[in-house]
Amino acid sequence: GSLGGPRDLFALPSARRPPLAPHWPIECEVIKEPIQHIEWVPPEPEPFCQPTGHEWPPATLSEEQGTIVYHLSPVPPGSCFTRARVGGAPGPLSSPAAPLEGPQDTTLLFESRFESGNLQKAVKVGPYEYVLRLRPDLYTAKHTQWFYFRVQNTRKDPLYRFTIANLAKPTSLYSEGMRPLLYSQRDAQSRGVGWRRVGTHVRYYRGGGEEPAAFRLSWTVRFPHDGDTCFFAHSYPYTYTDLQRYLGGLAGDPACSRYCAVRALCRSLAGNTVYLLTITSPAGAAAKRVVVLSARAHPGESVGSWAMRGFLDFLLSAHPDARLLRRLFVFKVVPMLNPDGVVVGNSRCSLAGRDPNRAYGTALRGSFPGVWHLRAMVERVLAEREVVLYCDFHGHSRKNNVFMYGCDGGRAGAGLRLLQRVFPLMLSKNAPDKFSFPSCKFKVQKSKAGTGRVVMWRMGISNSYTMEVAFGGSTLGRRNSHFTLADLKSLGYHLCDTLLDFCDPHPAKLQQCLSEVDMLLRQRLGREPGSGWSDVSTSELESSTSGSDSSVSD
């Protein structure tokens, strides 16, 4: 029969059937068993560990002298994406893990051929010690940061040491007390305990003089049980299947369907659906202003998905503030902009082998469909309505807390330049134990010209931000502890709260924040009250803070 409307081309998530299986590039092998984790919040804060400095850990055998116990055949870096299918590579699976020699063999069994998994190789260099290598982003030779893999055949008593040998970034929150995450299947099943921070002697340091991407992360850990199945990860995973399961739940909620429409924005290169949610109450849509939110341009920044999850949980709830927000605004939300990258366990790129958040200015529809269609959608919206806020959710690997990058091009009048700083200041007041206003930056750098934040700002959205969420945690309000899933989700709620403050018809809060920003900037410049500062460049405004951070993230 003939195809119906576009809705038939894209099967949308439904509560009645399991999530659609993701499409994988044909180079990727995928194991059949589904991987799913429970959500859990530790009852006590998880403090940062005492940093052990940058010194080398005790000497270990080199990789050359060790035994390879897991090795996936690499995708040649010069190759590029050709095609994808459900289940990835056709034919029987290879056996990348070395087989055990019997019950007395204590070698760990490694696996990463599942959604968002990333491990290329494991070398056993001691009875309980392994050197690991991550797979670079597909079709590139770099961007190693995200890791997520499974180990089986654990033993409870020994102290194990893991060293990831090919990380790309010269600095990391692992140098400042951040610890990796461990998940024990047995603890999840028997005690309801999920992902937790583990590791002593966590060190991040420059490796030997081999390839350029030679920074190392090393940690020691004891496993909670003998013969357990455990996972390690850089941050709480949130996969494409997790998103589809969540959207299926929304589809099964009749109340929710009245004010939340789930559509396909487009298909990714691999043929995975990029979803667009439109959330607003049916009444009075004509004059409503629009809020545009997105997450997971960078697939390794899973913290962005948890913040987005918290945002959607609140906005779709029966809370009076959520009702008010749906009455006041139309929300256009793209919860996972780069599903292919998320599926294959990339850190930064899509299957085009490039960073989608540098492609907004020049994006070709064929190379970056998600970015191209999001931008086109915003252009259509701007032709009819005001967009009051654009915010893209990211993760940050070198600074703790949550902060924003905004856009002050230095050419607007002082009033507008102040106003662009108000939303982040309000957010810092609503989440004082997580959000750092002094860490926010508003400079528009040439190297960031292709980011969503800068391009949307040039299109006319003056409140255009990247929200950066640390992979580590908070150093604010007497906290010195890692972010939990509850912390990450609460950011979504705080964003809602701040939107109501920012758009409050009684301008008292706005006025107070405007004068506070004005005072803060004057203090920074050493200027008198009443003297203008609209002539001051953004570089000067920010030069008194740590300028060396300006080259990071987004």
Side-chain angles (χ1 to χ4, degrees):
S2 65
L3 283 172
R7 294 175 65 179
D8 297 339
L9 291 170
F10 301 100
L12 293 168
S14 144
R16 290 184 301 281
R17 56 169 186 265
L20 298 167
H23 289 77
W24 293 74
I26 49 165
E27 296 92 334
C28 297
E29 290 193 348
V30 187
I31 60 171
K32 292 280 181 281
E33 60 193 284
I35 306 284
Q36 216 181 330
H37 303 294
I38 62 169
E39 284 176 40
W40 176 73
V41 175
E44 296 294 318
E46 297 179 300
F48 297 130
C49 59
Q50 286 308 304
T52 46
H54 300 273
E55 78 275 11
W56 275 73
T60 55
L61 282 174
S62 69
E63 278 175 271
E64 292 72 52
Q65 296 161 293
T67 315
I68 297 174
V69 294
Y70 181 78
H71 196 188
L72 281 183
S73 50
V75 176
S79 61
C80 40
F81 171 70
T82 51
R83 63 192 192 87
R85 62 191 288 276
V86 170
L93 289 175
S94 67
S95 303
L100 298 178
E101 288 169 5
Q104 78 296 344
D105 188 344
T106 60
T107 304
L108 290 174
L109 292 170
F110 289 85
E111 180 60 87
S112 65
R113 294 171 296 171
F114 46 80
E115 245 187 293
S116 295
N118 188 321
L119 181 68
Q120 183 92 60
K121 186 177 174 186
V123 179
K124 186 175 182 178
V125 295
Y128 300 102
E129 184 164 350
Y130 297 85
V131 175
L132 313 175
R133 287 187 172 266
L134 304 181
R135 197 213 65 219
D137 282 7
L138 274 191
Y139 317 117
T140 80
K142 45 185 201 277
H143 309 296
T144 38
Q145 177 181 340
W146 168 256
F147 61 88
Y148 174 33
F149 58 89
R150 184 178 82 183
V151 292
Q152 290 175 309
N153 196 36
T154 60
R155 295 293 185 275
K156 194 170 104 189
D157 297 324
L159 186 66
Y160 288 78
R161 181 153 75 193
F162 298 94
T163 303
I164 297 176
N166 64 330
L167 290 160
K169 294 192 176 184
T171 57
S172 167
L173 287 170
Y174 286 115
S175 305
E176 295 178 32
M178 178 168 132
R179 304 162 80 197
L181 284 162
L182 170 82
Y183 185 95
S184 153
Q185 208 128 292
R186 190 170 302 176
D187 278 346
Q189 284 158 356
S190 64
R191 306 189 350 209
V193 169
W195 289 103
R196 66 189 113 170
R197 301 284 170 176
V198 297
T200 45
H201 303 295
V202 179
R203 292 190 176 93
Y204 195 91
Y205 57 101
R206 185 182 280 282
E210 353 137 35
E211 68 258 64
F215 295 91
R216 294 181 165 228
L217 168 65
S218 169
W219 72 94
T220 56
V221 66
R222 288 185 207 278
F223 289 108
H225 304 284
D226 283 329
D228 196 2
T229 293
C230 291
F231 296 82
F232 285 105
H234 177 53
S235 186
Y236 303 101
Y238 191 97
T239 64
Y240 183 55
T241 298
D242 290 331
L243 173 67
Q244 297 211 84
R245 206 176 275 121
Y246 182 74
L247 296 178
L250 299 184
D253 177 346
C256 191
S257 329
R258 284 206 295 276
Y259 45 76
C260 174
V262 178
R263 293 282 178 271
L265 177 69
C266 63
R267 284 250 173 117
S268 69
L269 290 182
N272 292 308
T273 303
V274 179
Y275 294 102
L276 169 67
L277 280 60
T278 302
I279 302 167
T280 193
S281 60
K288 289 185 186 183
R289 294 184 289 177
V290 178
V291 174
V292 179
L293 299 178
S294 56
R296 288 312 267 290
H298 294 148
E301 299 171 6
S302 58
V303 286
S305 279
W306 289 106
M308 178 62 84
R309 201 12 233 285
F311 168 80
L312 291 170
D313 282 348
F314 181 75
L315 185 62
L316 297 170
S317 73
H319 192 286
D321 281 353
R323 286 207 182 102
L324 179 57
L325 284 163
R326 298 192 296 262
R327 227 176 28 245
L328 290 173
F329 302 105
V330 177
F331 293 87
K332 294 278 185 186
V333 182
V334 180
M336 195 171 280
L337 203 50
N338 180 2
D340 296 351
V342 173
V343 167
V344 302
N346 277 2
S347 286
R348 210 166 168 88
C349 298
S350 70
L351 296 183
R354 302 204 303 283
D355 181 344
N357 205 31
R358 295 294 179 274
Y360 278 84
T362 54
L364 300 166
R365 186 173 184 166
S367 305
F368 294 102
V371 163
W372 191 91
H373 282 91
L374 173 59
R375 184 185 163 159
M377 184 267 293
V378 172
E379 278 172 339
R380 287 194 303 274
V381 165
L382 281 168
E384 299 177 3
R385 300 168 186 261
E386 181 194 345
V387 176
V388 69
L389 175 75
Y390 163 83
C391 187
D392 188 22
F393 295 15
H394 284 253
H396 205 287
S397 67
R398 312 191 212 194
K399 281 205 292 193
N400 272 315
N401 307 311
V402 183
F403 47 95
M404 280 178 157
Y405 294 143
C407 298
D408 173 358
R411 289 192 297 278
L416 190 56
R417 295 181 69 186
L418 285 177
L419 194 58
Q420 283 158 347
R421 290 167 168 80
V422 166
F423 191 90
L425 181 66
M426 286 181 161
L427 191 46
S428 73
K429 291 179 183 300
N430 287 328
D433 62 334
K434 298 178 194 76
F435 192 97
S436 164
F437 184 69
S439 293
C440 296
K441 293 193 177 304
F442 299 89
K443 188 178 174 189
V444 179
Q445 291 166 281
K446 278 199 175 57
S447 65
K448 301 294 185 74
T451 57
R453 153 180 74 101
V454 173
V455 169
M456 299 292 180
W457 170 71
R458 294 203 191 284
M459 282 162 55
I461 303 173
S462 69
N463 298 300
S464 180
Y465 304 101
T466 303
M467 182 161 79
E468 297 278 355
V469 181
F471 287 115
S474 168
T475 60
L476 305 169
R478 296 203 299 280
R479 272 188 69 155
N480 248 314
S481 59
H482 292 87
F483 286 141
T484 64
L485 286 179
D487 287 325
L488 297 172
K489 288 187 198 169
S490 76
L491 297 170
Y493 160 73
H494 290 307
L495 193 88
C496 289
D497 204 21
T498 304
L499 195 54
L500 286 176
D501 288 341
F502 187 72
C503 297
D504 192 329
H506 305 289
K509 278 182 183 168
L510 187 70
Q511 291 303 334
Q512 180 203 334
C513 287
L514 279 169
S515 49
E516 192 171 327
V517 171
D518 191 37
M519 194 179 74
L520 285 168
L521 290 177
R522 281 176 207 290
Q523 282 171 349
R524 190 174 285 182
L525 293 167
R527 294 203 170 189
E528 298 304 311
S531 64
W533 53 266
S534 53
D535 55 324
V536 178
S537 75
T538 319
S539 298
E540 282 175 81
L541 284 177
E542 298 191 349
S543 59
S544 50
T545 60
S546 50
S548 60
D549 288 331
S550 59
S551 63
V552 293
S553 206
D554 244 31

